[in-house]
Amino acid sequence: MPFNRDVFDRAVREIFAKGGFTPEMLADPAVRPLIEETYNALDGAVNTAIRTETPPELTAALQNNTFIFSGFKTYHSLSEVGLALTDADGKVKPFDVFRRDVEAIDKKYNTNYLYAEYNHALHTSQMAVKWHDIMADGDRYNLQYRTAGDERVRSEHAALDNTTLPPSDEFWKFYLPPNGWNCRCTVEQVLRDDYPMSDPAAAKAAGDACTDAPKSRIFRYNAGQEMTVFPKKHPYLPKGCGNCNGKLRLAYDPNSDKCRACTIISKIAVDCGRKREYECLKKDPNYIGVEYNSVTGGLRATHIDHNFDSCVGRFGIQRGEYEKFASDALFSKGYSVILKSEKAPDGKKCPDGYLNGNLMDIKGIEGNPLYSLMRANKQEVRTAVLYFHNMDMYSRDNVKNNIDYLPTLLKKNKVKNPIIHIETVVCVVRQSDGSYLIDEI
C-alpha cells in the first residue's frame, strides 16, 4: 500500500505559509494532490476486486465513494494540522516545532487509519462484487455467513458463523460482511437442501449484538446494495449526508465547514471520475464517439449496439434523432451521457444508458409526457430525460403535475405495489434559435 508522504508534507507547508487551513484550500494545487494520493492508495484495494465482467456502474460507484471518502479524510487530517499551527497562547509555532508536532497526525491518518481503511476497502469491494453475482441467482441458493475460523475471530462475529438465510432476507441488508474494521468474515452460496435455515429473528439479534458498540453501528449496511465502499455514517462524512449524491445543496449551509468542503470535494470527485471513465471508454472497442470536454467536464460515448429508432415521428424526424439531439445538448452543458448496448437476452426494451452515472432513458415528447414518464418508470430508471423538439409543447408546471400524478396513474393501470423509480426528470427543450434549454426537475 504505497503512500507518498512528500504530498502530505507539501500540504503541511502550504498551511503554515497561509497561516491556517480552510475548506477552500482543498482545491489548492499544493493540497488537492493529498486527496488524490489517499484515493490512489485506497483505490488500489478497490481495483483488486473489480473484474472484466463487473458492471461499469458498480465500478464507478465504488470509485466515487472512495474518492469522496478520501476527500473528507484529507479535510479532517488537515483541519487537525491547522489547529496544531498555534501554541497554547495562540502564537504561531516556529516551523520546525510545528512540523514535529504534526508528525503524530501524519502517523495517525496516513499509517494507522490508512491500514485499516485499506483492508476495509479491499474486503468491502470484494463483497460488493460478490453481491452482484449473488443477485444474478436470486434466491436459488441460500447465503451462509462464515468467519475465518481461527483464534483471531471476535466472539461476536463467531456468533454469526453458519447463519444461513436466502439473499432476500432482511438480515443481509445490514449484516453482510465486513462487520467491523479488519473483519475477515465472508458469505458463500450454499444449496438450499444442504444446510438448515436459520431463524431470521435469532440471526438479526446476533447481528445487532455483533454491531452493538456505538462505533460498530456504522457497519450496518450492504456494500453491494448501496454500491458504497465506506459506510455513510462514518465520522469523516457530514452527518446525515453520507456519500454525496448531488442533493446536498438542498440543505447547504454556507457557514458549515463540512458543507463548504463537500462542495469542493464533490466537484473534484466528478472531474476525476469523468477523466477515469474517459480513459477506460477510449480503450473499449465497443464504444464509439468517445469525447471528454475538459472545460465543461462533459463526457459522452455510444455503444456500438445502441439502437437509434428509425421511425419517423410527428416532426418529420427519425425518433432516434431525438436521442442524438438530447445527448448533444446535455454533453455541451457538462453532463456525462453514455448510451449503452440495447441488446437484451429477453428481447425487452433496455434503458438508453447513463446520465451522470444514473440509469436513464430518453423520451422524445410528441404529446402529453405522462405516458412517457410511466414507460421510463417501468424500465426502473433513476433519471428520465424528456426531449421537446418544439418549445411550444414545453411547460414546466405541466411536467411537474405529471410527475405528481404518476403514482395515481400506475394504480389506475393496476400495477401491483407501484414503485416510483424515477428520482430526477431532465427536460431538454429545443428553442426557436436552435439552442437548448436544460431544465432539471
Side-chain angles (χ1 to χ4, degrees):
M1 182 185 57
F3 183 85
N4 184 358
R5 278 184 161 68
D6 290 342
V7 177
F8 180 80
D9 186 66
R10 185 181 175 195
V12 167
R13 291 177 182 275
E14 182 73 4
I15 290 171
F16 184 83
K18 291 192 173 179
F21 173 74
T22 64
E24 288 70 26
M25 290 175 65
L26 290 168
D28 285 2
V31 176
R32 174 172 166 166
L34 181 57
I35 299 176
E36 295 171 358
E37 183 67 20
T38 303
Y39 168 77
N40 289 337
L42 296 174
D43 188 52
V46 175
N47 283 335
T48 62
I50 302 302
R51 306 193 303 266
T52 305
E53 61 271 24
T54 301
E57 62 270 24
L58 175 58
T59 301
L62 296 179
Q63 290 176 330
N64 182 66
N65 177 261
T66 302
F67 198 99
I68 295 288
F69 180 86
S70 301
F72 276 106
K73 176 184 171 75
T74 300
Y75 162 75
H76 279 275
S77 65
L78 295 186
S79 293
E80 288 193 27
V81 169
L83 292 174
L85 188 62
T86 55
D87 59 23
D89 296 324
K91 295 180 180 178
V92 176
K93 300 173 184 175
F95 180 77
D96 290 345
V97 175
F98 166 65
R99 186 65 187 87
R100 185 177 64 248
D101 290 346
V102 300
E103 285 178 2
I105 299 172
D106 183 12
K107 183 178 180 181
K108 179 172 72 172
Y109 281 95
N110 301 322
T111 299
N112 301 340
Y113 288 179
L114 189 61
Y115 174 79
E117 290 156 359
Y118 179 90
N119 287 339
H120 182 79
L122 177 64
H123 196 176
T124 306
S125 300
Q126 291 171 343
M127 295 305 298
V129 172
K130 178 177 271 193
W131 183 259
H132 172 265
D133 296 338
I134 290 166
M135 287 296 95
D137 292 322
D139 281 353
R140 181 182 175 189
Y141 302 97
N142 280 337
L143 275 190
Q144 188 172 84
Y145 194 105
R146 293 182 180 176
T147 67
D150 58 26
E151 68 282 353
R152 292 169 52 200
V153 174
R154 284 162 267 194
S155 59
E156 57 270 27
H157 291 223
L160 292 172
D161 196 31
N162 292 324
T163 295
T164 306
L165 292 164
S168 60
D169 192 273
E170 281 281 298
F171 174 85
W172 303 113
K173 181 178 179 180
F174 301 102
Y175 308 115
L176 186 78
N179 283 306
W181 296 114
N182 298 314
C183 171
R184 297 171 297 143
C185 300
T186 187
V187 294
E188 296 295 339
Q189 288 179 299
V190 296
L191 293 173
R192 296 171 68 90
D193 295 334
D194 283 1
Y195 297 89
M197 189 91 75
S198 300
D199 175 59
K204 182 182 184 303
D208 288 346
C210 177
T211 56
D212 190 50
K215 290 185 178 180
S216 296
R217 291 173 191 167
I218 64 171
F219 294 102
R220 292 176 179 173
Y221 73 108
N222 181 314
Q225 286 183 347
E226 299 184 22
M227 296 203 298
T228 59
V229 175
F230 294 96
K232 292 182 178 180
K233 294 184 179 180
H234 191 285
Y236 284 164
L237 302 173
K239 187 176 181 181
C241 296
N243 179 22
C244 179
N245 60 5
K247 299 188 184 296
L248 293 183
R249 62 183 182 275
L250 298 177
Y252 179 77
D253 179 3
N255 297 316
S256 165
D257 283 354
K258 280 192 175 182
C259 279
R260 285 154 54 207
C262 182
T263 301
I264 296 164
I265 293 166
S266 299
K267 184 179 185 308
I268 297 173
V270 170
D271 291 345
C272 292
R274 296 270 175 91
K275 290 174 185 175
R276 285 194 306 271
E277 192 172 5
Y278 170 66
E279 293 300 328
C280 290
L281 290 168
K282 262 202 324 182
K283 299 171 185 175
D284 191 333
N286 292 312
Y287 281 90
I288 58 176
V290 181
E291 190 175 351
Y292 172 70
N293 187 317
S294 59
V295 177
T296 65
L299 172 68
R300 64 177 167 189
T302 303
H303 196 280
I304 57 176
D305 288 330
H306 185 81
N307 176 49
F308 290 101
D309 190 351
S310 59
C311 293
V312 176
R314 174 178 172 181
F315 300 103
I317 299 171
Q318 290 183 351
R319 289 192 172 117
E321 294 299 303
Y322 295 159
E323 282 186 53
K324 295 178 182 178
F325 293 150
S327 298
D328 289 346
L330 291 164
F331 168 71
S332 70
K333 295 294 186 180
Y335 286 79
S336 170
V337 189
I338 310 299
L339 300 180
K340 69 184 188 70
S341 169
E342 290 187 285
K343 281 189 175 180
D346 56 8
K348 291 182 179 179
K349 173 73 169 69
C350 294
D352 287 319
Y354 299 94
L355 186 70
N356 290 350
N358 295 321
L359 193 63
M360 65 94 177
D361 199 72
I362 300 172
K363 302 295 186 186
I365 305 303
E366 298 180 333
N368 193 317
L370 179 60
Y371 287 94
S372 293
L373 287 168
M374 186 175 76
R375 289 193 294 272
N377 191 70
K378 186 177 180 181
Q379 293 173 285
E380 299 184 5
V381 299
R382 290 180 62 186
T383 302
V385 177
L386 306 183
Y387 174 76
F388 295 83
H389 193 67
N390 185 331
M391 65 180 296
D392 293 333
M393 295 182 64
Y394 178 64
S395 163
R396 191 174 206 271
D397 288 341
N398 182 46
V399 173
K400 288 181 68 176
N401 289 337
N402 283 327
I403 293 170
D404 293 339
Y405 185 69
L406 188 55
T408 302
L409 180 64
L410 294 177
K411 290 179 182 177
K412 283 188 174 181
N413 281 267
K414 298 181 179 179
V415 176
K416 292 183 179 179
N417 301 317
I419 299 172
I420 302 301
H421 299 281
I422 297 172
E423 297 178 1
T424 305
V425 175
V426 180
C427 298
V428 181
V429 186
R430 185 177 183 272
Q431 302 186 97
S432 56
D433 62 356
S435 63
Y436 291 95
L437 167 72
I438 309 294
D439 192 5
E440 200 167 315
I441 301 175

